Amino acid sequence: DAKTTQPNSMESNEEEPVHLPCNHSTISGTDYIHWYRQLPSQGPEYVIHGLTSNVNNRMASLAIAEDRKSSTLILHRATLRDAAVYYCILSKSGGYGTDKLIFGTGTRLQVFP
Amino acid sequence: EAQVTQNPRYLITVTGKKLTVTCSQNMNHEYMSWYRQDPGLGLRQIYYSMNVEVTDKGDVPEGYKVSRKEKRNFPLILESPSPNQTSLYFCASSSGGGVTEAFFGQGTRLTVV
């Protein structure tokens, strides 16, 4: 299974944009890039996912490098509620046994008022 | 409201006493999984199910059993719990394997003494 590498921690001030990087140099052509976050004392929560093109939703944007070996999760205006551990995950499309999200240790994001 | 419900949220038990952690989803999802989360190890998949009566081992299945008799329910069974199964457990469901959003329950914190 392809691995992802993320910084252990990052800091931001409230209402500033946050760019969370992820390296996945061994990604294969069928791997989707997912981002989840886990707030304290809660289960992981889906943020966004994509394959090749950049993606936007109400929570965040996902910028995927042209060679797909890295991606960046962008929170446009951080709030205190965005303080969480963010996981960048690769998962394969289709086929038996592909419903597996391989969580690394993630990036702990601190947001300061 | 889309929901994955786990029960109980907290459980303290003794070594060897069989227990079941229930998981139910209301989204008619085909895929369901169990994960355990341990400090420094992240979330690891225990078992997963692609549909009713279809289950398979994840990365850390030893000491666990599952069943999928109905689409909405996916209980995790510990026939003879041991202290090394003390952990935080999460159930998840999704509609399309590794390419769609997964929904996680709130977690079950299990302590085996």
Side-chain angles (χ1 to χ4, degrees):
Chain A
D1 295 317
K3 277 193 65 174
T4 63
T5 304
Q6 301 175 251
N8 287 334
S9 63
M10 291 186 66
E11 298 177 351
S12 175
N13 294 318
E14 213 176 358
E15 299 194 7
E16 288 184 352
V18 181
H19 290 234
L20 297 165
C22 181
N23 286 320
H24 29 78
S25 58
T26 58
I27 192 170
S28 73
T30 56
D31 285 337
Y32 279 73
I33 302 159
H34 293 249
W35 284 83
Y36 282 75
R37 70 181 186 181
Q38 188 172 19
L39 279 65
S41 303
Q42 294 192 24
E45 173 187 32
Y46 170 82
V47 178
I48 201 166
H49 79 283
L51 184 62
T52 55
S53 305
N54 294 343
V55 184
N56 299 299
N57 66 21
R58 64 175 178 79
M59 287 181 71
S61 296
L62 175 59
I64 301 173
E66 200 168 325
D67 63 6
R68 301 212 321 129
K69 293 185 186 300
S70 66
S71 61
T72 302
L73 178 71
I74 302 165
L75 307 179
H76 296 286
R77 290 182 68 203
T79 69
L80 296 177
R81 197 194 170 279
D82 291 322
V85 178
Y86 287 78
Y87 297 98
C88 170
I89 299 161
L90 303 181
S91 70
K92 295 197 181 300
S93 61
Y96 187 71
T98 56
D99 182 41
K100 179 160 70 175
L101 302 172
I102 301 175
F103 288 80
T105 50
T107 297
R108 182 172 298 278
L109 175 66
Q110 289 182 282
V111 180
F112 297 105
Chain B
E1 181 191 352
Q3 226 169 6
V4 177
T5 304
Q6 293 179 229
N7 280 297
R9 292 289 310 278
Y10 301 91
L11 179 60
I12 301 174
T13 190
V14 296
T15 299
K17 185 177 181 181
K18 179 179 179 180
L19 66 92
T20 299
V21 183
T22 64
C23 174
S24 180
Q25 50 97 0
N26 63 358
M27 296 164 280
N28 202 37
H29 284 164
E30 293 183 342
Y31 289 84
M32 296 186 75
S33 301
W34 276 102
Y35 293 82
R36 61 178 288 174
Q37 185 172 28
D38 302 291
L41 296 176
L43 282 94
R44 294 175 293 167
Q45 191 183 59
I46 303 169
Y47 267 95
Y48 63 93
S49 170
M50 290 181 71
N51 213 324
V52 175
E53 304 292 3
V54 181
T55 64
D56 208 346
K57 297 176 181 178
D59 296 319
V60 287
E62 293 77 23
Y64 304 95
K65 283 176 56 177
V66 292
S67 70
R68 188 94 181 270
K69 293 184 168 47
E70 308 164 280
K71 202 170 188 179
R72 63 183 292 122
N73 296 322
F74 190 45
L76 179 69
I77 303 155
L78 285 72
E79 295 268 3
S80 183
S82 63
N84 65 11
Q85 293 178 298
T86 293
S87 187
L88 180 58
Y89 292 87
F90 290 101
C91 178
S93 76
S94 66
S95 61
V99 301
T100 59
E101 174 182 0
F103 292 80
F104 284 79
Q106 290 288 68
T108 296
R109 186 166 292 282
L110 172 66
T111 302
V112 183
V113 297

